Amino acid sequence: MTATTTPERLTARSTRPRRPLRARSALPVAAGTALITAHGALYGNWLVDDAAITFAYARSVTEGAGPVLQPGAAPTEGYSNPAWLAVLALGRLVGLFDRGAVLGLPDHVLFPKAVAVLCCAGVLLACHTAARRVFRRPGLVTLAFGAVLAVVPSFVIWTFSGLENPLYALVTCWLAVVLFLGVRDDRLLSRRVAVLVGALAALAALTRPDGLVYAGAYPLLVLVTLRRAGSAVAARSVALSVVAFLVPFGAYVAWRRVEFGRWLSLPATAKSQEPPDLARFTRVGELVQYTGAPAVLVLAVCVGVVLARGCVLRSGLVALLVPFGLSMVAFAVLAEDWMGQLRFATPVWVLGALVSVFAAARVLGRGTARRRVVLSAVLTAALLPTAAQFTAAAQGFRTAPTVPLCAVADQFGRGFNGWRWSTWPGWPNPGSPTSGTPTTWPGSATTRSTGSNRRSSTRTATGRRRPASSRTRGSRRTTT
């Protein structure tokens, strides 16, 4: 009787927690995503003006005009984020992007912000997947990770800017977590891990040009954890990862050469990125200054304590530090960006938060209650200046955001409409309240059926509405 009833009891016990476990996993991910989204909502419908460049290319590609900024123009690669372009093009093909409005909100605002929310949820899911391997309460660790990202203005601003930053954050975070799990499960040299990391590195390079640096994550980590007995297996795994990177990335570079006659994208050429020198690496100090030196010092001590001890997190933390170090290298070597708020530091915030939260959670989880209280007090005191600095940065950006997309559309759209109205009678009067987009564009056979009262508007970070009297076919700028 015991032999027959015991398996039934074990089966019942193993099946009962499945649904609550999923709920416990989903709750911290949803809560952390909500915190990030709530911060992003403070900036309203703001999208940065450079986002319109990729928007224009997405429209041209999906309408069959090819990779051009405007229909009829010569093919030029005025974008540097082909993976993000593919996301926008897919959204337009299924009718979710650049098709109208949803509940009064233009879908060219709603769709990229909705994708940003999904990417943030994916980032938190990656954190939770890793935390479940080393912590008893992974939900609290995931929630803390989401809270840290939610208070970093640089991360939130550029995640909801309409640019490729959320996709970049998602890809780099999962790349780091795959390395973490490979080390923790002692499967770093497996084919699956090697191919997956190589593919994620290729996706990162196709999302942003500086994502190319993550192609070195797998070889570097294998070199750090290399054992003499497994050198031949390690070499084969590294070669496999490199091939997994080169196939998709090399295919796109070959297409670029055939289509545009260039090896580099136009934005990369226009920025005249010079080879890095040692002086450029001092730009890491900008990250420390933005975060706050006390917080960086305390968190660095926590990381050092974990690495000095032989705990279960040590090897995994080393795996996270490799892509984190590469993210800081990528930030340092890039030319300074005019848009402010450290636009190129998105992977630094994600990977840095992952390393810091894991290390702090491990240090706080060890020792007596008195020691935990002392460490918590020290950490809180170190984070207070950072909180004040982040608050000032968020308020300053909300008051004076980087050039909004709607401002450019309004400025150039009104001027173009005014000129066209004076030279072509069929163009609607920009001063008329019933003016809209003409059914036939001058100089082309493209026909559109649009309402005469159709107007779109976007809300800036300060809450003001800026009417966009016409939808521009693109932007005159070619750099991102």
Side-chain angles (χ1 to χ4, degrees), residues 409-432:
D410 186 53
Q411 177 183 358
F412 289 100
R414 286 182 180 275
F416 180 79
N417 278 354
W419 171 73
R420 267 301 183 184
W421 178 63
S422 63
T423 58
W424 184 61
W427 195 266
N429 186 346
S432 172

Side-chain angles (χ1 to χ4, degrees), residues 47-113:
L47 295 175
V48 72
D49 66 326
D50 270 27
I53 298 174
T54 314
F55 292 3
Y57 274 96
R59 177 187 293 183
S60 297
V61 169
T62 54
E63 289 184 344
V68 296
L69 191 61
Q70 297 173 342
T76 55
E77 192 183 14
Y79 57 90
S80 57
N81 47 7
W84 181 243
L85 172 60
V87 172
L88 298 178
L90 180 61
R92 194 172 192 277
L93 286 174
V94 298
L96 298 177
F97 176 68
D98 194 29
R99 297 293 185 181
V102 178
L103 299 178
L105 184 65
D107 59 6
H108 66 268
V109 174
L110 180 62
F111 180 76
K113 290 184 180 291

Side-chain angles (χ1 to χ4, degrees), residues 152-159 165 290 341-343 345-346 349:
V152 181
S154 173
F155 172 78
V156 177
I157 287 169
W158 295 116
T159 295
N165 295 62
Y290 189 91
Q341 291 295 329
L342 304 181
R343 178 166 70 101
T346 297
W349 305 130

Side-chain angles (χ1 to χ4, degrees), residues 26 124 126 192 277:
L124 290 170
R192 181 179 179 181
D277 53 16

Side-chain angles (χ1 to χ4, degrees), residues 1 114 157 231-232 242 298 350:
M1 182 176 180
I157 287 169
S231 57
V242 171
V298 171
V350 174

Side-chain angles (χ1 to χ4, degrees), residues 170-407:
L170 177 66
V171 174
T172 53
C173 187
W174 271 106
L175 185 148
V177 168
V178 170
L179 291 175
F180 177 89
L181 297 178
V183 171
R184 287 287 304 127
D185 298 339
D186 198 19
R187 298 186 59 193
L188 181 63
L189 300 182
S190 66
R191 293 182 179 180
R192 181 179 179 181
V193 173
V195 172
L196 188 54
V197 173
L200 287 172
L203 184 56
L206 294 173
T207 304
R208 272 208 54 83
D210 49 287
L212 186 66
V213 72
Y214 295 101
Y218 186 82
L220 284 176
L221 183 59
V222 170
L223 182 62
V224 170
T225 59
L226 181 64
R227 301 171 183 174
R228 291 183 179 180
S231 57
V233 178
R236 288 196 298 267
S237 298
V238 169
L240 184 61
S241 181
V242 171
V243 170
F245 168 80
L246 289 177
V247 168
F249 182 73
Y252 181 82
V253 172
W255 174 81
R256 172 192 289 159
R257 178 64 180 177
V258 173
E259 181 70 20
F260 306 110
R262 292 174 173 269
W263 291 112
L264 298 175
S265 65
L266 183 59
T269 305
K271 288 184 176 181
S272 301
Q273 176 73 43
E274 298 179 355
D277 53 16
L278 292 179
R280 281 192 176 274
F281 290 95
T282 60
R283 291 197 61 209
V284 175
E286 298 178 20
L287 300 171
V288 177
Q289 183 180 5
Y290 189 91
T291 306
V296 173
L297 179 61
V298 171
L299 293 174
V301 170
C302 291
V303 173
V305 170
V306 174
L307 293 178
R309 295 178 177 179
C311 61
V312 295
L313 183 60
R314 178 181 178 179
S315 59
L317 198 63
V318 171
L320 296 179
L321 285 171
V322 170
F324 175 55
L326 291 175
S327 69
M328 290 194 292
V329 170
F331 173 82
V333 300
L334 287 175
E336 189 173 355
D337 184 51
W338 67 271
M339 296 187 188
Q341 291 295 329
L342 304 181
R343 178 166 70 101
F344 298 146
T346 297
V348 176
W349 305 130
V350 174
L351 301 178
L354 194 63
V355 170
S356 300
V357 170
F358 275 28
R362 176 57 63 188
V363 173
L364 291 174
R366 299 289 183 177
T368 63
R370 180 179 179 180
R371 181 181 177 184
R372 294 178 185 177
V373 171
V374 172
L375 291 176
S376 299
V378 172
L379 187 60
T380 301
L383 292 177
L384 286 177
T386 300
Q389 190 163 317
F390 283 171
T391 301
Q395 291 177 346
F397 188 87
R398 190 182 181 196
T399 302
T402 305
V403 185
L405 183 154
C406 59

